[in-house]
């Protein structure tokens, strides 16, 4: 098996015409590709992790983060290059968000980027915080798709945009090939050691992730960290404290642009999927209630406890980490962090200010 | 389907077995109305049977219930239509019975499962979805097909009867089919002993299953912890009250912090001495930060009186999120 775990390749309609398709098929030369047929697309989640569809994205390249009603959103823009990834986290919301469970990568990347860059350059007064890690892991397939080759230079030349690679992997070779560092944030999703080991299947362990993060930081990259989803589990306080202690031994806090905190939340339909695919998972054990957006989330005082503890231990590490909450209400912000941006616009301004401060 | 020829003749009822044959699609029915009907007017539509080969008894194709009703009336023979032995294949024979039944009655859930199981012997899945689901009043979806096949193939007779009697609802059965036979049995026993409506049944299964997983205990152990036996024995509660009490207990076990917050809120509101016709409620799950007050009044004068009363209630200061501690606010 190849390093990405890909066993099947489907060439979607129109994808054969793109050069990137030929390059990828040449790399995966041991696999006989099939053309897009419904029967070739696996219905089962695990099989989907080893199936790659090369497709053409005919929609918008840049999409606003699908923030939900009643909660404050960071205003991140999603650069949509792929959906799903080879990692198999039990809590992954994409299992319920997309109907298709297999990995889909878009081969018309230059078209997408032309459109995105045009949009960015036509709005010079706006700061674009762009990321590729919402619908996929930003780096898990980088060595196959060559995303960093195309993106780093392009974004480092922009005056009003930053690009965030969000990952749980250690696939940083592509990033380290370039000298440019401006406007690029490399972020790692973190959890407690127990949750990382038991719920984040196929993802490298915490230590490996932090070693990769340190390497990037040493090479001059600005880092971001995401404690999302925070999971309420046995010994969670000790668990997250252990992770923050590891941060202290691996990273320099002054080169971290932001750290987000988000508690586990999901569409109700994910519950049955997790039960079926991961019967021994403990992530559904908490007290979940229906939020203002219809998603299930921990009962508010539990979220406050989680955020309050993370804030305490992170503050003890550094007081300037750009801590923010992902998809939380104004009152939770005020109670957990002691201040609130009041609105999505307010949070965007706060994060934009961090961008200006760190990248000029 | 090709036209088939049959001949009318006398059927000796003792020759026909009481066991449902391959074409049978009847389950859990009440024979009594049919017995009364035949008693009054006789058999208007004679049963259809295939003659047996070499001395074998005839096999009913249509009219299994009519034959049972006639036997129940003590009749020994009736007029019937006979097809020659070997003149009809199992597939058209089954379809003949299906359409004979579709025209005259509705099927219960177990019967729909029986029919779909038999159809799956003769037709591909897509054909069943396209041609037969709508006839049975079911959505043409794979999940629905699989559910009814599982009802036929996985439920035991006792559970099937409970489903037909509606002691257990269809949604509850759907959830139970995902469990192993032992766990399934535990819930069936509970539903036999206590009366729940359909929504309550699914809620009970969901809560007990989650608690069972979290506590690594069997459903029986969870129900024992919920003091189910005491509840069932409670003489002063009627059936719906017992069902609600069990659900309250299970909910408290599954959502301890939420139910405690609800209790504290209720206690605080109870202590407020609110004017009559005034009600304060918390948002669903306390998720929205805003509470809500409703005041009913006849005229402005009464509203002013109630507002004055409210403005003079010092205990209103103690109204804050139940999980917060603001003792100074209440002093």
């Amino acid at each position: 098996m190849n390093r990405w775990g890909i066993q099947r390749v489907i060439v979607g309609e129109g994808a054969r015409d793109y050069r990137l398709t030929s390059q990828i098929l040449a790399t995966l030369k041991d696999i006989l590709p099939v053309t897009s047929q419904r029967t070739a697309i696996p219905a089962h989640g695990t099989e989907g992790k080893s199936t790659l569809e090369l497709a053409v994205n005919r929609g918008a390249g840049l999409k606003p983060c699908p923030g939900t009603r009643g909660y404050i959103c960071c205003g991140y823009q999603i650069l949509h290059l792929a959906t799903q990834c080879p990692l198999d986290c039990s809590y992954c919301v994409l299992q319920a968000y997309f109907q298709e469970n297999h990995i889909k990568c878009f081969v018309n990347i230059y078209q997408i980027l032309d459109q995105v860059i045009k949009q960015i350059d036509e709005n010079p007064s706006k700061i674009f915080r762009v990321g590729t890690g919402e619908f996929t892991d930003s780096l898990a397939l980088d060595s196959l798709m060559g995303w960093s080759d195309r993106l780093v230079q392009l974004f480092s030349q922009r005056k009003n945009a930053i690009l965030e690679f969000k990952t749980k992997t250690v696939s940083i070779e592509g990033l380290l090939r370039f000298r440019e560092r401006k406007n690029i944030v490399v972020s790692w999703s973190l959890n407690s050691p127990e949750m990382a080991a038991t719920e984040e299947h196929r993802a490298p362990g915490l230590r490996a992730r932090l070693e990769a993060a340190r390497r990037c930081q040493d090479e001059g990259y600005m880092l971001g960290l995401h404690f999302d989803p925070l999971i309420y589990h046995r010994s969670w306080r000790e668990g997250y404290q252990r992770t923050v202690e590891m941060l202290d031994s691996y990273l320099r806090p002054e080169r971290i642009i932001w750290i987000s905190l988000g508690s586990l939340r999901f569409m109700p339909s994910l519950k049955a999927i997790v039960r079926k695919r991961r019967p021994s998972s403990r992530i559904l054990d908490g007290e979940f209630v229906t939020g203002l957006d219809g998603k299930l989330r921990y009962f508010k005082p539990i979220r406050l406890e989680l955020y309050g503890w993370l804030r305490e231990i992170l503050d003890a590490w550094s007081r300037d980490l750009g801590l923010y909450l992902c998809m939380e209400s104004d009152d939770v912000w005020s109670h957990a962090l002691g201040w609130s941006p009041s609105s999505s616009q307010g949070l965007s301004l706060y994060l934009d200010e961090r961008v200006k401060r760190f990248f000029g | 389907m090709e036209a088939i020829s049959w001949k009318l003749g006398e059927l000796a009822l003792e020759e026909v077995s009481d066991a449902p044959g391959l074409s049978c699609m009847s389950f859990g029915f009440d024979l009594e109305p049919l017995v009364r009907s035949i008693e009054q007017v006789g058999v208007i539509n004679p049963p259809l049977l295939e003659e047996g080969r070499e001395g074998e008894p005839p096999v009913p194709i249509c009219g299994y219930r009519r034959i049972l009703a006639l036997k129940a009336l003590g009749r020994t023979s009736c007029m019937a239509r006979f097809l020659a032995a070997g003149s009809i294949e199992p597939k058209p024979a089954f379809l003949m019975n299906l359409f004979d039944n579709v025209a005259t009655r509705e099927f219960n859930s177990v019967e729909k499962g029986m029919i779909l199981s038999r159809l799956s012997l003769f037709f591909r899945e897509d054909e069943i979805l396209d041609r037969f689901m709508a006839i049975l009043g079911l959505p043409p979806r794979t999940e629905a097909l699989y559910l009814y096949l599982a009802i036929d193939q996985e439920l035991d007779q006792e559970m099937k009867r409970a489903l037909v009697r509606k002691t257990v609802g269809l949604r509850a059965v759907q959830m139970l089919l995902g469990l192993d036979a032992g766990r399934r049995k535990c819930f069936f026993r509970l539903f036999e002993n206590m009366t729940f409506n359909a929504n309550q049944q699914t809620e009970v299964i969901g809560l007990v299953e989650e608690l069972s997983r979290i506590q690594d205990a069997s459903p029986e152990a969870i129900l024992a912890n919920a003091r189910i036996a005491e509840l069932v024995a409670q003489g002063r509660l009627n059936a719906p009250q017992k069902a609600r009490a069990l659900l309250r207990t299970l909910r408290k076990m599954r959502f301890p912090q939420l139910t405690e917050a609800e209790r504290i809120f209720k206690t605080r509101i109870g202590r407020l001495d609110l004017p009559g016709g005034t009600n304060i409620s918390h948002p669903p799950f306390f998720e929205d930060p805003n509470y809500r007050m409703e005041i009913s009044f006849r005229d402005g004068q009464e509203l002013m009186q109630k507002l004055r009363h409210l403005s003079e209630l010092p205990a209103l200061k103690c109204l804050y999120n139940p999980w917060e501690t603001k003792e100074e606010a209440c002093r």
Side-chain angles (χ1 to χ4, degrees):
Chain A
M1 199 192 290
N2 50 58
R3 58 184 290 199
W4 308 280
I6 303 297
Q7 293 178 336
R8 275 171 299 279
V9 178
I10 301 164
V11 180
E13 199 185 330
R16 184 72 73 170
D17 306 336
Y18 291 85
R19 202 176 50 190
L20 185 55
T21 302
S22 313
Q23 286 170 9
I24 293 163
L25 293 179
T27 308
L28 300 171
K29 56 183 184 300
D30 294 338
I31 303 171
L32 189 66
V34 294
T35 48
S36 185
Q37 287 168 358
R38 291 238 43 94
T39 49
I41 295 175
H44 192 262
T46 308
E47 201 185 329
K49 295 291 171 190
S50 54
T51 302
L52 170 68
E53 182 183 356
L54 302 173
V56 178
N57 182 3
R58 301 183 201 279
L62 217 50
K63 293 176 179 172
C65 176
T68 49
R69 204 161 17 99
Y71 299 105
I72 296 172
C73 174
C74 65
Y76 173 87
Q77 302 270 338
I78 301 162
L79 174 52
H80 192 186
L81 297 179
T83 51
Q84 308 284 7
C85 78
L87 311 183
D88 201 2
C89 303
S90 49
Y91 52 73
C92 179
V93 293
L94 301 181
Q95 298 173 96
Y97 193 79
F98 292 111
Q99 279 196 325
E100 295 172 329
N101 284 308
H102 65 285
I103 304 163
K104 185 188 277 187
C105 291
F106 299 122
V107 288
N108 57 331
I109 186 164
Y110 289 109
Q111 276 175 352
I112 298 170
L113 290 177
D114 281 351
Q115 189 196 95
V116 167
I117 293 303
K118 188 165 177 271
Q119 194 179 337
I120 290 171
D121 291 349
E122 280 175 354
N123 294 279
S125 59
K126 184 181 170 181
I127 292 178
F128 286 80
R129 279 175 287 107
V130 179
T132 53
E134 188 79 6
F135 295 149
T136 189
D137 183 286
S138 296
L139 296 176
L141 292 171
D142 188 42
S143 53
L144 177 66
M145 299 302 299
W147 289 322
S148 55
D149 292 353
R150 293 161 177 86
L151 294 171
V152 171
Q153 284 176 310
L154 214 52
F155 274 82
S156 63
Q157 289 159 10
R158 308 268 81 73
K159 288 196 171 81
N160 58 329
I162 63 115
L163 176 69
E164 183 174 23
F165 289 97
K166 210 186 282 185
T167 190
K168 288 192 187 88
T169 73
V170 294
S171 307
I172 54 171
E173 313 88 347
L175 288 173
L176 298 181
R177 271 204 297 272
F178 300 96
R179 270 184 303 172
E180 289 88 350
R181 299 290 181 262
K182 195 167 184 303
N183 302 338
I184 304 296
V185 176
V186 192
S187 293
W188 269 268
S189 294
L190 301 174
N191 221 305
S192 73
E194 188 190 339
M195 288 299 103
T198 58
E199 305 288 355
E200 296 176 344
H201 308 276
R202 301 189 190 199
L206 271 189
R207 200 167 292 280
R209 285 183 226 177
L210 290 176
E211 272 165 13
R214 173 164 61 189
R215 179 106 194 270
C216 281
Q217 200 176 49
D218 289 347
E219 294 276 347
Y221 275 110
M222 191 64 66
L223 297 191
L225 299 173
H226 299 282
F227 282 91
D228 196 348
L230 288 169
I231 298 171
Y232 197 78
H233 58 285
R234 207 170 291 161
S235 309
W236 64 270
R237 284 175 194 272
E238 293 78 6
Y240 288 114
Q241 181 151 26
R242 180 77 200 102
T243 302
V244 175
E245 283 164 7
M246 286 165 79
L247 289 183
D248 184 42
S249 55
Y250 279 90
L251 305 177
R252 282 170 287 136
E254 61 276 11
R255 297 285 295 164
I256 291 175
I257 187 168
W258 47 56
I259 298 182
S260 75
L261 307 177
S263 63
L264 179 60
R265 59 214 174 271
F266 51 89
M267 291 191 279
S269 56
L270 186 75
K271 213 170 167 176
I273 296 171
V274 176
R275 288 268 182 257
K276 191 173 172 189
R277 296 198 59 224
R278 301 282 172 198
S280 59
S281 170
R282 311 299 304 197
I283 61 167
L284 301 175
D285 289 0
E287 276 189 70
F288 293 98
V289 298
T290 307
L292 302 173
D293 52 2
K295 289 183 185 167
L296 294 174
R297 46 177 64 217
Y298 290 120
F299 182 40
K300 199 184 278 183
I302 299 172
R303 291 177 356 239
L304 289 170
E305 217 184 326
L306 282 166
Y307 299 140
W309 177 246
L310 263 294
R311 178 205 171 184
E312 195 181 320
I313 55 180
L314 286 167
D315 272 359
W317 183 38
S318 167
R319 305 281 294 184
D320 184 25
L321 292 168
L323 214 58
Y324 71 95
L325 300 182
C326 186
M327 301 314 297
E328 271 303 351
S329 54
D330 177 50
D331 65 314
V332 170
W333 266 89
S334 302
H335 282 96
L337 298 192
W339 76 284
S340 167
S342 304
S343 63
S344 297
Q345 196 186 8
L347 178 55
S348 281
L349 283 174
Y350 169 71
L351 296 173
D352 289 351
E353 283 305 315
R354 302 272 311 171
V355 169
K356 285 181 202 158
R357 203 178 111 197
F358 281 79
F359 290 110
Chain B
M1 200 182 295
E2 284 176 30
I4 49 162
S5 58
W6 46 265
K7 63 180 185 200
L8 201 60
E10 190 169 3
L11 171 68
L13 290 169
E14 65 175 6
E15 282 186 14
V16 186
S17 162
D18 284 355
L22 266 181
S23 294
C24 179
M25 51 191 69
S26 294
F27 184 89
F29 51 88
D30 177 8
L31 200 59
E32 201 50 31
L34 188 56
V35 171
R36 297 281 80 84
S37 161
I38 292 174
E39 197 175 27
Q40 291 293 315
V41 296
V43 177
I44 298 165
N45 183 19
L48 178 70
L49 299 97
E50 183 186 2
E51 284 174 337
R53 293 167 199 254
E54 297 165 7
E56 290 288 309
V59 180
I61 295 173
C62 307
Y64 169 68
R65 292 187 197 212
R66 278 162 272 168
I67 292 169
L68 289 186
L70 285 160
K71 286 184 175 180
L73 282 166
R75 308 274 173 87
T76 53
S77 67
C78 72
M79 291 310 286
R81 291 167 294 178
F82 292 93
L83 300 174
S87 66
I88 188 162
E89 294 292 322
K91 181 174 164 181
F94 181 76
L95 289 179
M96 198 177 282
N97 190 28
L98 172 63
F99 287 103
D100 184 45
N101 276 274
V102 161
T104 54
R105 70 182 183 99
E106 282 195 8
F107 299 107
N108 62 43
S109 299
V110 174
E111 290 171 334
K112 288 176 186 178
M114 292 165 75
I115 293 166
L116 291 168
S117 271
R118 303 300 184 283
L119 286 171
S120 65
L121 300 174
F122 307 126
F123 295 94
R124 290 194 317 269
E125 188 175 304
D126 58 324
E127 288 177 309
I128 296 175
L129 292 173
D130 288 346
R131 291 179 53 189
F132 296 103
M133 294 297 273
I135 290 172
L136 298 175
L138 299 174
R141 287 200 299 267
T142 328
E143 309 86 71
L145 172 61
Y146 290 171
L147 168 63
Y148 283 88
L149 289 176
I151 287 172
D152 179 57
Q153 293 158 17
E154 291 176 35
L155 291 187
D156 62 28
Q157 295 300 307
E158 187 192 349
M159 294 177 191
K160 284 179 180 173
R161 278 193 290 275
L163 176 59
V164 172
R165 283 198 310 270
K166 296 193 166 50
T167 310
V168 187
L170 187 62
R171 277 201 303 136
V173 165
Q174 189 167 10
M175 288 174 86
L176 293 175
L177 281 165
L179 308 180
D180 64 50
R183 298 173 93 87
R184 212 182 280 167
K185 200 95 186 158
C186 166
F187 287 108
F188 266 97
R189 271 200 303 272
L190 175 67
F191 298 149
E192 293 277 350
N193 289 324
M194 285 182 78
T195 312
F196 297 94
N197 65 34
N199 288 337
Q200 287 173 331
Q201 284 179 350
T202 54
E203 199 179 344
V204 166
I205 299 168
L207 288 169
V208 172
E209 274 298 297
E210 290 203 342
L211 285 164
S212 158
R213 208 166 277 139
I214 293 166
Q215 298 179 9
D216 203 13
S218 66
E220 287 90 344
I222 298 298
L223 289 168
N225 285 345
R227 299 174 148 189
I228 179 81
E230 284 174 39
L231 210 57
V232 172
Q234 265 285 3
R236 63 186 173 82
L237 298 180
N238 64 27
Q241 285 171 329
K242 284 180 188 174
R244 282 198 297 273
L246 176 65
L247 272 168
R248 260 198 311 276
T249 308
L250 290 172
R251 206 164 162 264
K252 200 170 165 184
M253 289 163 72
R254 177 65 184 91
F255 301 103
Q257 295 203 45
L258 173 64
T259 47
E260 179 61 4
E262 287 168 343
R263 188 195 64 75
I264 292 171
F265 178 80
K266 203 173 160 189
T267 308
R268 285 183 186 162
I269 297 297
R271 285 187 194 142
L272 280 180
D273 184 28
L274 292 171
T278 306
N279 181 39
I280 297 178
S281 57
H282 63 77
F285 311 112
F286 298 92
E287 191 56 27
D288 189 288
N290 298 311
Y291 291 86
R292 188 184 175 93
M293 176 184 275
E294 275 179 16
I295 306 174
S296 63
F297 55 91
R298 284 189 198 142
D299 51 31
Q301 189 66 27
E302 191 184 12
L303 176 62
M304 282 171 67
Q305 275 173 11
K306 288 186 176 179
L307 290 175
R308 204 172 302 123
H309 182 148
L310 283 167
S311 70
E312 288 164 3
L313 276 181
L316 270 182
K317 281 193 291 186
C318 302
L319 198 59
Y320 47 82
N321 289 329
W323 54 87
E324 290 169 11
T325 44
K326 290 184 185 172
E327 280 169 23
E328 71 284 1
C330 301
R331 281 190 199 123

